Amino acid sequence: MAARNLSTPWIPWNPNVNRIPINFPLHMQPPTHFNLHLRPCFPASSSLPHNDDLQPLLQILPSDLHHNLLNEPQRAQLLEVILDLGRLPEARYLGKEGGQYIRDSEVTVKELEYAQQAVGEFGKDNRAGIEGTLHRISAIRSRKGGIVGLTCRVGRAVSGQIDMVYDLLQYWKSILFVGRPGVGKTTVMREIARVLSDEFHKRVVIVDTSNEIGGDGNIPHAAIGSARRMQVPEPSMQHRVMLEAVENHMPQVIIVDEIGTEAEAHACRSIAERGIMLIGTAHGQQLENIMKNPILSDLIGGIGAVTLGDAEARARNCQKTILERKAPPTFNFLIEMRDRHYWLTHQTDKSVDMLLRGKIPQVEVRKRDEKCKVVIEKSKAYDKCQF
């Protein structure tokens, strides 16, 4: 591939996106020249091409469960395996409500002990991984500290999800993803890391608290491309590692999963103020969840009470004490992942201000159509976006 001038903005063209123009300010409009960049299209009804490397996960299970799952026709859709002491083992699949029992005898103490020995030591967050894979094992403990349950979650390097947000990456603005557990936030983080590092040639550092993005072990999974990964000794130190990444490794992009504490929110703001692009996820399903969370509201600019003068209150036809956004948002865009193939994109400052005034913001709807292409609908009323 011929070398390119990294100082020139590079706007990849994605033939799988039906583009409906976006109403962004002029200073954020993309340049008018493009380099062609072809990307494959994948059916929205499928789980998209992936490498699940399932064998290492199955090896920690009892032999009969290993055999049953290995021969399961829905193996490609396997989401997690649940082992609870004294209960029937259960498998859960993508796109299906509830679980499916995979044998008719209960889980024993010996089977949990075998799985624990195969996995090794669990961290303080009761999570462990399998080296060289993206799988995650989470433990449930008794009051005495013994393991009485395991959630064995399948980690997949999924290709194709980046198409849902590919056009936004060229703005070099920070993006926050929210959504229910299991909707694919971490999967998107992983692929964004690969694309920004390998295709956009940016210096990307992943702050990987529980090794979910880059996989377990000291060598990160190939799914993150050439992005660098900093591991976090324990969850309470995530904010320190975020700042360490900035101070020591000169990143252009920092990717962090599961922002959940006040210290992490403050670290995000500090990083954004230094001109570094942030890609992150936070606990919550919608923008309003972040606004009402006193710990995380700083990510969208913070919210505070303001007292208006009499004339201003009359002009606005409102009470004298109102809520307003206190500062520019740390994340310029916020994406609600309602489903793996149905996302809502907010311009954070505009949406927050509109909601605080009791008005309905306009958002973009990003979804896949029946031909598996990504369709972007602009300026849709937020309250009309139901999935």
Side-chain angles (χ1 to χ4, degrees):
M1 180 182 291
R4 65 180 180 84
N5 184 355
L6 297 183
S7 64
T8 301
W10 181 55
I11 312 302
W13 174 64
N14 188 342
N16 299 318
V17 176
N18 293 337
R19 299 184 186 279
I20 301 175
I22 306 172
N23 292 330
F24 288 122
L26 289 177
H27 73 279
M28 292 175 63
Q29 292 290 344
T32 56
H33 61 281
F34 294 86
N35 286 348
L36 295 184
H37 183 86
L38 303 180
R39 301 175 64 82
C41 178
F42 307 115
S45 59
S46 75
S47 60
L48 301 178
H50 62 265
N51 174 17
D52 57 14
D53 196 19
L54 202 54
Q55 191 65 26
L57 181 67
L58 297 182
Q59 286 178 348
I60 74 168
L61 303 177
S63 58
D64 57 338
L65 300 186
H66 182 163
H67 181 267
N68 291 345
L69 291 171
L70 199 59
N71 295 289
E72 169 60 50
Q74 302 180 77
R75 192 183 79 167
Q77 304 298 322
L78 182 63
L79 178 65
E80 59 189 10
V81 178
I82 306 298
L83 303 178
D84 284 335
L85 182 63
R87 293 184 175 182
L88 300 180
E90 185 179 346
R92 296 174 182 170
Y93 296 91
L94 289 168
K96 290 197 171 185
E97 295 293 335
Q100 175 181 314
Y101 294 127
I102 43 182
R103 78 173 183 204
D104 56 6
S105 58
E106 299 169 346
V107 176
T108 67
V109 172
K110 287 186 178 180
E111 288 174 330
L112 289 176
E113 290 176 347
Y114 170 80
Q116 182 181 2
Q117 290 173 0
V119 171
E121 186 178 355
F122 285 82
K124 292 185 177 180
D125 57 357
N126 280 317
R127 292 180 178 181
I130 300 173
E131 188 164 353
T133 76
L134 301 172
H135 307 311
R136 185 185 78 193
I137 319 299
S138 301
I140 297 175
R141 296 184 183 273
S142 68
R143 295 176 66 181
K144 295 182 178 180
I147 292 179
V148 295
L150 292 173
T151 301
C152 307
R153 181 136 192 168
V154 178
R156 292 184 171 95
V158 181
S159 302
Q161 284 288 65
I162 192 69
D163 286 345
M164 295 283 281
V165 72
Y166 200 83
D167 61 308
L168 282 185
L169 296 181
Q170 49 90 11
Y171 290 105
W172 310 123
K173 299 294 181 180
S174 297
I175 306 173
L176 180 68
F177 291 85
V178 297
R180 58 180 170 79
V183 80
K185 299 187 296 296
T186 302
T187 299
V188 173
M189 297 292 100
R190 197 177 293 129
E191 197 170 7
I192 287 177
R194 178 185 61 79
V195 168
L196 288 176
S197 61
D198 288 359
E199 299 183 18
F200 287 78
H201 303 285
K202 295 296 179 179
R203 299 189 300 273
V204 179
V205 173
I206 299 169
V207 178
D208 207 357
T209 306
S210 55
N211 287 356
E212 269 199 89
I213 300 178
D216 207 50
N218 292 328
I219 300 175
H221 196 278
I224 67 170
S226 57
R228 304 180 75 187
R229 191 263 297 268
M230 294 182 67
Q231 299 184 60
V232 180
E234 56 185 71
S236 62
M237 295 180 64
Q238 176 166 284
H239 66 286
R240 295 183 184 178
V241 178
M242 292 167 63
L243 295 175
E244 179 186 333
V246 175
E247 294 164 356
N248 292 352
H249 304 293
M250 294 182 60
Q252 294 170 298
V253 182
I254 284 185
I255 294 177
V256 58
D257 204 6
E258 297 184 356
I259 302 165
T261 69
E262 186 175 9
E264 291 161 9
H266 289 166
C268 285
R269 176 164 294 280
S270 175
I271 291 167
E273 288 172 348
R274 304 182 199 201
I276 296 169
M277 180 181 182
L278 273 166
I279 305 291
T281 70
H283 301 292
Q285 297 189 55
Q286 300 180 14
L287 171 58
E288 290 172 292
N289 298 138
I290 306 299
M291 293 173 60
K292 294 175 181 178
N293 187 324
I295 294 175
L296 297 181
S297 63
D298 191 54
L299 300 176
I300 48 91
I303 296 173
V306 176
T307 301
L308 303 177
D310 293 337
E312 181 69 16
R314 283 194 298 269
R316 294 194 186 191
N317 191 27
C318 65
Q319 297 178 344
K320 293 188 65 174
T321 301
I322 61 172
L323 295 177
E324 285 197 346
R325 179 168 51 87
K326 295 191 293 187
T330 301
F331 290 89
N332 308 88
F333 299 114
L334 183 144
I335 295 179
E336 296 180 13
M337 296 178 66
R338 297 286 182 90
D339 184 76
R340 288 179 182 269
H341 304 301
Y342 189 90
W343 301 1
L344 304 183
T345 305
H346 294 269
Q347 275 188 262
T348 309
D349 54 352
K350 291 185 177 180
S351 288
V352 170
D353 292 347
M354 292 286 283
L355 289 169
L356 288 175
R357 293 170 188 169
K359 299 180 179 180
I360 305 300
Q362 301 292 304
V363 299
E364 284 182 349
V365 176
R366 295 167 177 260
K367 59 185 179 181
R368 293 187 185 273
D369 63 15
E370 66 279 359
K371 295 182 179 179
C372 76
K373 289 187 177 181
V374 176
V375 178
I376 301 175
E377 300 177 21
K378 68 167 186 175
S379 299
K380 189 166 183 178
Y382 183 46
D383 61 342
K384 303 297 184 184
C385 300
Q386 302 294 332
F387 180 79

